[in-house]
Amino acid sequence: MNGQVLKNYLKHTNSFIRFLLVGMVNTGVGLSIMLFLMNVLELSYWISTFFGNGTGAVMSFLLNRTFTFRSDIDWRRGVARFFCVILICYSAAYSLGQAIAESLEGSVHFSIQQNAAILIGTIFYTILNYIGQKYFVFKKSNLGTIQEGRN
């Protein structure tokens, strides 16, 4: 019975709450990969964030298309738009995260600075990504908006 209550609740939550839930899953996976690659395998910041983000992006597309935005957008069109948004958000957010963290130069150890850059970039990435996915990738048609209001 608790499963049904959760299912009903999630069905009626707004897309941002569902986006955050999906984001917790794919961010946990992506962030773990980023930190592992950078801190354990000692790969660079950009390689680590690229591969971690890429893994999270695949999960994100699948879950956001079906669960968050309940989109019926054509796969080919959706994937192309999705990865365009992902690349723009990735470049903007992690560049900004690195710039902010670099302002800490000299006051904290370099590894802390790099980890801070990842965390700051992740926050910006989440916000920009939601906006891009909601209003560009999985944008509902007028018919979908009318039908959603009836349910």
Side-chain angles (χ1 to χ4, degrees), residues 111-127:
S111 65
I112 293 172
Q113 181 184 345
Q114 291 293 285
N115 286 311
I118 286 178
L119 296 175
I120 293 165
T122 299
I123 292 167
F124 285 116
Y125 178 84
T126 300
I127 295 165

Side-chain angles (χ1 to χ4, degrees), residues 98-110:
Q98 187 174 40
I100 291 170
E102 283 176 355
S103 71
L104 303 172
E105 192 171 342
S107 60
V108 296
H109 190 271
F110 182 74

Side-chain angles (χ1 to χ4, degrees), residues 89-104:
C89 292
Y90 168 76
S91 298
Y94 288 99
S95 293
L96 185 57
Q98 187 174 40
I100 291 170
E102 283 176 355
S103 71
L104 303 172

Side-chain angles (χ1 to χ4, degrees), residues 80-98:
R81 285 182 171 200
F82 180 83
F83 281 102
C84 179
V85 167
I86 292 295
L87 289 174
I88 291 169
C89 292
Y90 168 76
S91 298
Y94 288 99
S95 293
L96 185 57
Q98 187 174 40

Side-chain angles (χ1 to χ4, degrees), residues 37-103:
L37 293 175
M38 191 169 72
N39 294 311
V40 176
L41 298 184
E42 298 181 353
L43 297 177
S44 75
Y45 171 82
W46 289 109
I47 290 172
S48 300
T49 59
F50 182 81
F51 283 107
N53 235 36
T55 304
V58 171
M59 290 179 65
S60 179
F61 178 79
L62 297 172
L63 292 173
N64 283 322
R65 182 178 184 273
T66 57
F67 174 68
T68 304
F69 300 108
R70 298 178 182 124
S71 178
D72 59 357
I73 191 169
D74 177 67
W75 280 87
R76 290 176 299 251
R77 183 176 178 199
V79 166
R81 285 182 171 200
F82 180 83
F83 281 102
C84 179
V85 167
I86 292 295
L87 289 174
I88 291 169
C89 292
Y90 168 76
S91 298
Y94 288 99
S95 293
L96 185 57
Q98 187 174 40
I100 291 170
E102 283 176 355
S103 71

